[in-house]
Amino acid sequence: MGWDRRIFLPICLVASMATSWVVAEDWLPPGSTTEMAGVKPAELLDSSKEITNEILLGRLLFRSPSILGEKAIRIGMSCDSCHTNGHVNTSFYIEGLSDRPGRIDVSHRFWQAGFEDNVDNPIDIPSLRNIQSKTKFGTQVILPDLSAFTRHVISTEFAGPLVSEDEMKALLSYMSSLDINGLDISYIYAETGIDSPYASLFMNPIKVQDFQRIDTLVDLVRADLGRQVTDDTLEEIKARIRLLTSLRGAAAAGNYENAAAFLDQLNR
């Protein structure tokens, strides 16, 4: 598993914000929600760090349900669902797994068959801000470093797929950039903004004609755009998704000059 990971976002899922969550809600117990209500916490990033392509890729993976496996894809849940913008989703609640919002039982058969400790033990969802300064990780299982802990969460707690070394490096880079100190903070982009910097991720794959990476990036970015749909952003997001689809189509046909032209349009 790696750059061949596929993230499917049918175009119908971005038709409206309500429609985008109908399927997810069908898979959740009644009364549950994985969405943050109200104003989301700010995404605080270490202002001393350059926002690299590796951090941007990590951010996309952090927001992609595919990283956590089949059940997460069905309910539309990603790392960001619990740790919204790297902080805490105080609205997160799954009936039967949460005793109150902001808490979740991660050792429950809901996540995977055979993984059940027969104890009702929801835990507080922790903030990941300043996680790079920690020396031990976990609550029920203590692990020595962020890499081991992240693999444990993905593979053991949520039955997710094997994460490639490139994906893990990207995830760790993004999480390690999350900050809590001071107010002089860099933002990747405002929550309401559609002019994301993700176009920079396509530049080298187009240059070296790496269709597999382009294909995966298109799915990741489309999925992230789909989660930003509002009445105000719908038309612009649909236009960007059409450009991404055209970029992928050009690359699939081996016409990387046209793919570069579509990327230029995305950058405008």
Side-chain angles (χ1 to χ4, degrees):
M1 188 70 67
W3 281 107
D4 58 344
R5 183 191 305 280
R6 297 302 305 272
I7 300 86
F8 295 100
L9 183 73
I11 193 68
C12 62
L13 292 188
V14 298
S16 69
M17 182 62 91
T19 301
S20 67
W21 290 105
V22 168
V23 175
E25 293 299 327
D26 285 347
W27 289 97
L28 285 169
S32 304
T33 181
T34 61
E35 281 293 282
M36 180 79 183
V39 178
K40 293 183 179 181
E43 182 183 44
L44 305 183
L45 302 175
D46 186 343
S47 59
S48 68
K49 291 185 177 181
E50 177 187 0
I51 305 303
T52 63
N53 279 347
E54 187 170 79
I55 288 175
L56 292 175
L57 174 60
R59 187 179 196 258
L60 284 172
L61 293 169
F62 190 81
R63 291 184 164 205
S64 172
S66 70
I67 206 75
L68 295 179
E70 181 182 352
K71 180 60 70 72
I73 291 172
R74 289 177 179 176
I75 65 176
M77 193 185 84
S78 64
C79 301
D80 190 70
S81 297
C82 289
H83 312 282
T84 304
N85 285 337
H87 195 37
V88 178
N89 179 354
T90 54
S91 306
F92 190 97
Y93 182 87
I94 297 182
E95 182 65 33
L97 281 75
S98 303
D99 53 357
R100 63 177 183 270
R103 287 167 57 85
I104 188 69
D105 185 347
V106 295
S107 55
H108 192 281
R109 63 182 178 276
F110 178 84
W111 304 113
Q112 59 174 312
F115 186 62
E116 169 65 72
D117 61 2
N118 295 311
V119 178
D120 183 21
N121 52 355
I123 59 174
D124 291 329
I125 295 171
S127 173
L128 300 184
R129 290 176 178 172
N130 225 29
I131 197 170
Q132 74 277 6
S133 67
K134 295 184 180 296
T135 56
K136 61 181 182 179
F137 302 85
T139 51
Q140 296 171 325
V141 176
I142 304 300
L143 293 157
D145 56 58
L146 184 56
S147 176
F149 175 68
T150 303
R151 289 188 186 279
H152 171 79
V153 170
I154 292 171
S155 300
T156 303
E157 291 184 356
F158 292 102
L162 179 66
V163 179
S164 73
E165 289 302 319
D166 284 346
E167 289 172 332
M168 181 57 64
K169 284 178 61 179
L171 277 169
L172 296 180
S173 291
Y174 172 69
M175 290 189 289
S176 296
S177 74
L178 296 166
D179 194 36
I180 196 172
N181 300 311
L183 298 176
D184 182 20
I185 302 298
S186 299
Y187 291 81
I188 290 182
Y189 65 86
E191 276 300 315
T192 55
I194 305 303
D195 293 324
S196 80
Y198 294 139
S200 64
L201 292 172
F202 289 92
M203 294 177 66
N204 190 64
I206 288 176
K207 180 180 179 180
V208 301
Q209 301 187 9
D210 185 346
F211 174 72
Q212 186 178 52
R213 181 165 293 203
I214 290 168
D215 191 35
T216 300
L217 283 171
V218 167
D219 282 333
L220 282 168
V221 176
R222 284 179 61 192
D224 193 54
L225 286 172
R227 287 186 290 275
Q228 296 181 56
V229 170
T230 65
D231 289 341
D232 293 335
T233 62
L234 174 60
E235 292 307 316
E236 187 174 357
I237 284 177
K238 286 169 67 175
R240 288 184 176 273
I241 287 177
R242 284 193 291 268
L243 283 172
L244 285 165
T245 302
S246 296
L247 187 158
R248 173 159 55 190
N255 193 333
Y256 288 92
E257 184 176 346
N258 276 359
F262 287 121
L263 179 62
D264 183 60
Q265 292 182 56
L266 279 168
N267 272 320
R268 292 176 187 173

